[in-house]
Amino acid sequence: MSTTVAPPPKRPNVNRIGLEVANYKGGKTTLCAGCGHNAISQRIIECFYEMGVAPWSVAKFSGIGCSSKSPAYFLNQAHGFNGVHGRAPALSTGAVLANHHMIGIVTSGDGDTASIGLGNFMHMLRRNVPMIYIIENNGVYGLTKGQFSATADLGSTLKSGAPNDLPPIDCCLMAIEMGASLVARSFSGDKDQVGKVLKAAIAHRGLSLLDIISPCTTFNDHEGSTKSYAYMKEHDLPLHELDFVPFFEDIQVEIPEGALREVELHDGSKLRLKKLDRDYDPTDKFGAMGAIHESNAKGEVLTGIIYVEAAKKTFADMLNLGDEPLATLPESRTRPPREALEQIMEELR
Amino acid sequence: MSTIEISPSPADEGIAQQQVVNDFSIQVATVNGSGSQTANLVLMRSIFQMGIPVSGKNLFPSNIQGLPTWFTIRASKHGYTARKKEIDFLVAMNTETANEDVMNLESGAAVVYDEPLKLNQLRSDLHFYPVPFDKLVAPVCPQPKLRKLVRNMIYDGVVGRLLGIDLEEIRKALFKQFGARKVKAAELNWGAVLAGAEFTDKNLRKSDPCRVERMNATAGKIIIDGNAASALGAVFAGVTVVTWYPITPSSSLVETMIDYLRRLRIDKETGKPTYAVVQAEDELAAVGMVIGAGWAGARAMTATAGPGISLMSEFVGLGYYVETPAVIVDVQRVGPSTGLPTRTQQGDMLATAVLSHGDTRHPMLIPCNPKECFSMASEAFELAEQFQTPVFIMSDLDLGMNNWMSDPFDYPTEPICRGKVLSAEDLDRLGGFARYKDVDGDGVGYRTLPGTRHPAAAYFARGSGHNERAQYSERPDDYVNNMDRLARKFETMRRFVPKPETEINERASIGVICYGTSREATLESRDQLRNEYGVETSYQRLRSYPFTPEMTEFLERHARVYVIEQNRDAQMLQLMRMELSPELIGKLRSVRYYGGLPIDARTITDEIVLQEGL
Ligand SMILES: Cc1ncc(C[n+]2csc(CCOP(=O)(O)OP(=O)(O)O)c2C)c(N)n1
Ligand code: SF4
Ligand SMILES: [Mg+2]
């Protein structure tokens, strides 16, 4: 008797919590073809999938701009809040206070962050609010059709040829100075690096500031731009070769003495930084700031994990929040008893 | 000790023989930062302890030290607690304003003053009581540094004896004011009170008619300012996220709340706070955090004043359109801009009702006293969560920062209700949901909180156009449907907001409508109109926006209705005009006061008399 063995049904690929990549997708993008922001959305989808983070445990925030439209294009199964211009820091801070178990992720623009929202941005950094804040940095206001933003380099030009007279604000410098505990810069065209930096941010507990150069193909991808694909291909200077080892696949590797720096992140994942032309220490705050200043002076764009302080106290720690989210505390724990009011009334008589 | 001159006074003509019992106002004129606040509160409280209805109003400058302040205490056997226009008893401690203060008095008033000021030379129709404060303070306060502060307590002793306030009540009030931790300081100050009293007994001869007599009208009552009452209200309403940016007159609301939260809201089991308080970097962030927190399920609030309200404008529109609960307390002060930041006004009513761009409407609750500050905190949170929208509590400086006599607060009777929030189990049962669909016909959709463990829980909140399923849409019909539903939601609120306080007088053809802190002066003015002019009035005090049908009924019943408010542009009346029929609009009359002091009855009476042609 012969038996035919049916081939096993083709199982879709799933991540460690049993979800397919489709569970991490968003709506169809309405941004321009080739816009750097789309590449970043793609990386967000992949990274949350690969890290096995449940989409419902994520909350997405943004301000106003092309970049701020992005949350609609990834993680449809996560709650999203597209706010007002420059104010995603306030919205997300409030939401994270209400439920600090959520993984907050903000996508914002350079106009959103470094101009109208700069004040709120600074204070979010200072508080080290536990969440991920991505600046999709293209040096212009995309959505209002191409005016300079505050991150545009001195002397870079608009599409019309008009030069920029003002020095740029470096958001990574700000972030390190003000207290963000993971600071990275990357380039939307560097899939591999953006992915690793993003995974590090997911693994980190504290504010992760990712300044990702994300060219605007429509308004700022020309000759005189310093945020174009061509410029970045020329001037991108990786600090190190990055490797990210998630906590759930701890592969032991032989580490040759001195060739590698390892940083353990909050969830047990590890960042392995392989030395390139220099030995860069991302836990050295002053060194990090010095390195940015130096490279900016040379017109290079330093990319990689610029600064990390894995154990830094977050805003939730500072406020001494308990385990249960404030949002769902029952009345028995949020309304003091009748006797407490009576006692106070007695004191006021 | 100096010899004491008793000024020639109307007493000699026998006027003082008509005694004025429990019906006068005392004004203490000092400079701010001199510690006079304690002396004033002790004086107020000691009258309160004698069972006499009392109110205290502090008129202070926008300054920390060295500018004039006036504290007015009114004792009234009739229970009138509004500011009284006329001063019966002046305590002149401020060299700079003393002359003007004295010149402004009505004939027959009494003046306690610092002897070297020689105020008795200014007028001959007042009762003068000179007191050598510096000489009296030296022996009771050996430390020169403290004398400036202790000196003020002397007038409590002087005024106490002149008015017949039981010294024991002053002692009780003083030790209560200083609290258990400052007994030493209390004793030092008590010495000053005694020195003042002793001096009065030996050297002053009572010639003015004012005095107190024990009553039993304050039993069981408390003394509290509206900000502390709002703070307590929020603590008992289960607030979990509080954000703020300091601004007078709202700062003390959050500062007091922090004290109460620390005391009452540390979880017994975990030792962790059941709240988070954030001092934000500006009001944009303060309200943004509240909207973010409310969206994520917290009971979130902030407190501010007019300038902060202006800054919150854009975000409040987002809250309205995205439909997130939020509670915003506006302790109104005099605008525009910095205006008179330490004076009171009902000046934000119109702007707040429609705050932000586009078509927006916001519910406002309007407390008139501390008891309502307390209860309306809970009501505001309930409404905000039931209707998923920002709710404003419109307090003002007079209410927020002054001490008011109040009935004790009632413990909330209703359990906390979080509104239409779907859980993961609900979603399993329903298979999904459309965030902005009007399932129940009340204009309110169902929402989910981020963090809900369900693949169908998420929705995308956005300020841009959206359809019922919260999807981006620029279609005119989607936009119109949504805006119409929001209007329907606002209509539904009329049935749930606090109803007005109404007193129909069957014999009255005219009515008065007021709101918030205009209540006390309005009630007193009605008595004046009745007693002095024989005019009967009906009364209604609005407690909320949107208006309720009771207001229309009130207007229908009366020939003319005076809308009394503390602003220049008749802001509430304008809101009424937006929705009333031309016939009812025709009945509206306006009485406005906007000088920055709490409104008084006489001002209202005079204006109504003028308009009625009486
Ligand atoms: C209060 C306010 N002012 C101005 C605007 C108009 N506006 C919309 S997006 C934008 C700039 C966006 O630039 P950026 O944040 O760099 O985003 P990008 O489009 O480049 O991704 C401006 C000024 C607005 N929406 N709100
Ligand atoms: S305008 Fe620029 S930033 Fe906006 S979508 Fe197009 S390419 Fe992207
Ligand atoms: Mg930009």
Side-chain angles (χ1 to χ4, degrees):
Chain A
M1 211 174 73
S2 69
T3 49
T4 48
V5 180
K10 201 170 161 251
R11 290 207 13 240
N13 285 332
V14 294
N15 63 8
R16 70 186 174 94
I17 59 166
L19 296 180
E20 299 168 36
V21 74
N23 294 94
Y24 293 82
K25 293 228 157 106
K28 189 172 170 293
T29 179
T30 60
L31 303 181
C32 307
C35 175
H37 306 349
N38 283 332
I40 298 171
S41 296
Q42 234 16 70
R43 300 291 88 71
I44 293 172
I45 293 169
E46 286 162 16
C47 289
F48 278 94
Y49 167 73
E50 285 166 21
M51 288 292 283
V53 176
W56 52 257
S57 67
V58 180
K60 311 173 286 185
F61 303 90
S62 61
I64 298 292
C66 297
S67 37
S68 291
K69 290 185 173 191
S70 298
Y73 313 136
F74 58 83
L75 267 56
N76 262 350
Q77 290 183 15
H79 275 75
F81 200 152
N82 177 199
V84 288
H85 196 18
R87 312 287 161 215
L91 274 182
S92 52
T93 298
V96 165
L97 291 182
N99 185 350
H100 56 290
H101 293 307
M102 284 181 326
I103 299 181
I105 179 167
V106 178
T107 64
S108 172
D110 38 324
D112 208 53
T113 296
S115 288
I116 195 167
L118 189 62
N120 294 164
F121 173 65
M122 293 289 219
H123 289 272
M124 171 195 71
L125 298 169
R126 231 182 119 217
R127 295 185 181 108
N128 193 28
V129 181
M131 63 186 182
I132 303 165
Y133 191 101
I134 300 175
I135 306 170
E136 303 186 342
N137 184 355
N138 53 17
V140 287
Y141 292 0
L143 194 59
T144 51
K145 299 191 185 290
Q147 302 83 356
F148 279 126
S149 82
T151 66
D153 286 310
L154 187 66
S156 64
T157 64
L158 289 180
K159 220 173 167 182
S160 66
N164 176 31
D165 307 327
L166 290 168
I169 290 176
D170 189 309
C171 293
C172 288
L173 270 180
M174 298 291 142
I176 299 170
E177 173 68 27
M178 297 309 295
S181 48
L182 189 151
V183 178
R185 180 169 283 145
S186 191
F187 164 45
S188 66
D190 185 345
K191 264 189 179 185
D192 181 67
Q193 192 190 45
V194 172
K196 284 169 181 165
V197 159
L198 198 52
K199 285 181 184 172
I202 295 170
H204 178 62
R205 192 173 161 280
L207 189 96
S208 299
L209 184 278
L210 314 185
D211 180 21
I212 305 181
I213 310 302
S214 174
C216 169
T217 41
T218 305
F219 297 110
N220 205 19
D221 199 26
H222 47 84
E223 266 291 89
S225 165
T226 59
K227 301 277 191 285
S228 64
Y229 284 109
Y231 187 91
M232 279 309 291
K233 285 199 179 108
E234 284 280 298
H235 298 86
D236 185 348
L237 188 73
L239 278 166
H240 29 231
E241 204 180 301
L242 261 181
D243 209 4
F244 177 84
V245 186
F247 68 94
F248 49 88
E249 337 171 323
D250 199 9
I251 309 156
Q252 294 301 326
V253 286
E254 281 299 314
I255 302 171
E257 190 70 27
L260 211 60
R261 282 185 183 271
E262 193 172 78
V263 180
E264 181 161 341
L265 297 167
H266 173 76
D267 71 355
S269 301
K270 291 189 180 78
L271 264 176
R272 292 194 177 132
L273 315 171
K274 206 180 290 168
K275 188 153 109 180
L276 289 174
D277 43 339
R278 62 165 136 179
D279 185 18
Y280 182 79
D281 176 6
T283 62
D284 171 6
K285 192 167 190 167
F286 298 131
M289 294 174 78
I292 297 177
H293 279 295
E294 264 171 46
S295 73
N296 285 353
K298 288 190 227 153
E300 293 160 346
V301 185
L302 269 195
T303 59
I305 301 281
I306 302 177
Y307 180 67
V308 59
E309 186 179 347
K312 184 168 182 172
K313 274 197 174 170
T314 72
F315 199 37
D317 300 328
M318 295 172 218
L319 290 166
N320 194 24
L321 294 181
D323 190 48
E324 185 154 358
L326 293 176
T328 48
L329 286 175
E331 177 173 338
S332 59
R333 292 171 67 187
T334 61
R335 173 170 282 168
R338 183 180 292 273
E339 305 76 62
L341 183 63
E342 278 164 9
Q343 163 84 32
I344 289 167
M345 291 301 103
E346 199 43 51
E347 290 165 13
L348 294 167
R349 285 214 162 89
Chain B
M1 188 137 300
S2 67
T3 52
I4 289 312
E5 19 170 354
I6 297 289
S7 55
S9 75
D12 301 332
E13 282 107 66
I15 293 165
Q17 267 54 304
Q18 296 177 354
Q19 294 199 336
V20 176
V21 180
N22 297 348
D23 190 12
F24 53 84
S25 69
I26 308 168
Q27 184 166 73
V28 183
T30 51
V31 286
N32 68 333
S34 67
S36 57
Q37 185 73 346
T38 311
N40 298 335
L41 291 178
V42 167
L43 199 54
M44 175 180 168
R45 183 170 272 284
S46 56
I47 296 173
F48 170 80
Q49 285 167 193
M50 289 186 71
I52 306 157
V54 69
S55 62
K57 308 239 181 251
N58 190 18
L59 311 179
F60 60 105
S62 176
N63 175 268
I64 303 302
Q65 216 173 37
L67 287 184
T69 68
W70 295 268
F71 192 90
T72 312
I73 297 169
R74 179 174 189 184
S76 167
K77 60 182 167 217
H78 309 291
Y80 296 146
T81 54
R83 182 175 69 89
K84 188 173 177 240
K85 214 171 175 181
E86 311 78 30
I87 304 301
D88 304 293
F89 205 104
L90 174 72
V91 180
M93 300 294 286
N94 183 359
T95 323
E96 274 180 46
T97 64
N99 284 17
E100 201 186 332
D101 289 338
V102 168
M103 293 317 289
N104 284 340
L105 292 172
E106 306 245 324
S107 186
V111 187
V112 167
Y113 68 100
D114 195 12
E115 193 181 25
L117 297 179
K118 301 208 190 320
L119 300 179
N120 56 330
Q121 296 173 359
L122 293 172
R123 285 172 67 167
S124 59
D125 59 341
L126 305 174
H127 304 271
F128 283 103
Y129 302 108
V131 180
F133 284 95
D134 287 335
K135 279 186 205 151
L136 294 177
V137 75
V140 293
C141 184
Q143 276 174 276
K145 268 203 290 189
L146 294 177
R147 281 182 197 152
K148 194 181 87 171
L149 301 173
V150 174
R151 192 174 181 266
N152 283 313
M153 292 307 298
I154 294 174
Y155 66 68
D156 277 11
V158 174
V159 174
R161 294 305 283 169
L162 287 172
L163 292 177
I165 301 170
D166 193 337
L167 275 190
E168 179 53 24
E169 297 295 0
I170 298 184
R171 201 187 69 84
K172 234 172 81 185
L174 191 151
F175 278 81
K176 186 173 181 102
Q177 192 67 32
F178 277 92
R181 271 176 297 157
K182 291 189 190 158
V183 176
K184 267 228 168 86
E187 270 158 6
L188 182 67
N189 281 279
W190 175 235
V193 174
L194 285 179
E198 196 182 319
F199 169 84
T200 308
D201 291 347
K202 285 201 186 131
N203 304 288
L204 300 180
R205 188 168 65 86
K206 168 87 172 168
S207 60
D208 73 279
C210 300
R211 63 182 190 82
V212 298
E213 231 170 56
R214 268 190 195 277
M215 286 175 70
N216 195 20
T218 66
K221 293 199 191 288
I222 60 169
I223 290 185
I224 190 169
D225 60 78
N227 279 351
S230 296
L232 265 179
V235 170
F236 281 86
V239 67
T240 47
V241 172
V242 185
T243 68
W244 64 305
Y245 186 79
I247 183 168
T248 303
S250 72
S251 302
S252 70
L253 193 160
V254 180
E255 284 161 342
T256 311
M257 183 157 23
I258 292 169
D259 291 342
Y260 281 127
L261 285 168
R262 284 197 181 126
R263 173 173 164 185
L264 299 170
R265 292 282 301 275
I266 304 296
D267 195 89
K268 290 230 166 55
E269 272 164 44
T270 63
K272 299 278 188 180
T274 59
Y275 62 87
V277 181
V278 184
Q279 185 181 327
E281 54 274 28
D282 52 35
E283 287 89 347
L284 291 88
V287 77
M289 288 178 199
V290 165
I291 288 173
W295 176 74
R299 279 210 148 174
M301 70 171 283
T302 183
T304 188
I309 291 289
S310 297
L311 286 188
M312 291 177 183
S313 165
E314 186 189 17
F315 246 136
V316 167
L318 178 78
Y320 171 82
Y321 193 50
V322 158
E323 302 181 59
T324 54
V327 171
I328 301 160
V329 186
D330 179 6
V331 189
Q332 296 167 92
R333 63 185 216 184
V334 179
S337 188
T338 302
L340 303 175
T342 59
R343 298 297 157 87
T344 196
Q345 200 172 55
Q346 297 176 315
D348 303 342
M349 303 306 296
L350 189 56
T352 305
V354 294
L355 191 69
S356 209
H357 50 281
D359 289 314
T360 52
R361 269 324 157 84
H362 311 293
M364 304 188 286
L365 307 187
I366 317 161
C368 74
N369 60 25
K371 194 168 182 186
E372 282 191 344
C373 287
F374 181 83
S375 60
M376 282 184 177
S378 272
E379 286 174 290
F381 276 113
E382 293 294 316
L383 282 170
E385 289 188 330
Q386 179 182 358
F387 289 98
Q388 306 172 2
T389 198
V391 173
F392 290 83
I393 298 177
M394 305 302 286
S395 178
D396 64 26
L397 183 142
D398 179 21
L399 176 53
M401 290 189 74
N402 284 322
N403 276 288
W404 290 58
M405 188 179 73
S406 165
D407 285 326
F409 307 155
D410 299 327
Y411 191 74
T413 47
E414 296 297 320
I416 289 174
C417 175
R418 310 301 309 270
K420 298 183 187 179
V421 179
L422 298 174
S423 65
E425 295 73 49
D426 294 331
L427 292 166
D428 269 340
R429 190 164 42 79
L430 298 166
F433 81 117
R435 169 68 182 95
Y436 298 112
K437 193 174 161 73
D438 189 2
V439 179
D440 304 322
D442 56 1
V444 187
Y446 284 80
R447 64 180 186 134
T448 53
L449 303 183
T452 305
R453 291 170 178 256
H454 197 284
Y459 72 97
F460 198 84
R462 44 160 66 86
S464 44
H466 45 263
N467 63 17
E468 278 183 354
R469 306 202 67 87
Q471 290 156 334
Y472 184 84
S473 168
E474 294 184 7
R475 290 173 55 133
D477 56 342
D478 279 337
Y479 181 80
V480 169
N481 283 344
N482 200 30
M483 291 305 283
D484 288 352
R485 181 182 52 77
L486 285 166
R488 204 152 59 237
K489 178 161 107 170
F490 199 71
E491 284 306 308
T492 310
M493 279 181 219
R494 292 186 200 273
R495 301 205 309 270
F496 293 88
V497 293
K499 294 192 188 324
E501 173 188 46
T502 306
E503 191 196 307
I504 300 290
N505 181 336
E506 297 293 344
R507 286 172 296 154
S509 62
I510 66 172
V512 293
I513 284 186
C514 68
Y515 58 93
T517 52
S518 302
R519 177 183 193 265
E520 303 309 319
T522 301
L523 293 179
E524 187 179 346
S525 167
R526 292 178 67 215
D527 287 353
Q528 291 176 349
L529 286 167
R530 179 186 301 114
N531 299 338
E532 300 170 19
Y533 298 90
V535 173
E536 297 290 340
T537 55
S538 288
Y539 159 85
Q540 185 166 72
R541 175 174 60 91
L542 303 175
R543 299 170 70 224
S544 62
Y545 181 78
F547 304 122
T548 62
E550 288 80 2
M551 186 185 84
T552 323
E553 285 160 25
F554 187 83
L555 292 171
E556 278 161 357
R557 280 189 87 110
H558 298 94
R560 291 174 300 288
V561 173
Y562 289 86
V563 182
I564 297 159
E565 42 190 327
Q566 301 178 55
N567 56 59
R568 185 192 67 181
D569 291 346
Q571 299 190 7
M572 188 64 97
L573 190 145
Q574 302 306 340
L575 288 174
M576 292 160 75
R577 288 172 70 104
M578 282 167 68
E579 55 186 78
L580 292 175
S581 66
E583 190 209 334
L584 293 184
I585 291 173
K587 295 181 174 192
L588 297 176
R589 303 284 182 276
S590 176
V591 175
R592 290 153 291 147
Y593 169 78
Y594 44 94
L597 306 180
I599 192 170
D600 66 279
R602 185 55 61 190
T603 297
I604 300 171
T605 304
D606 289 352
E607 183 62 25
I608 293 179
V609 165
L610 186 76
Q611 292 192 37
E612 285 288 305
L614 297 170

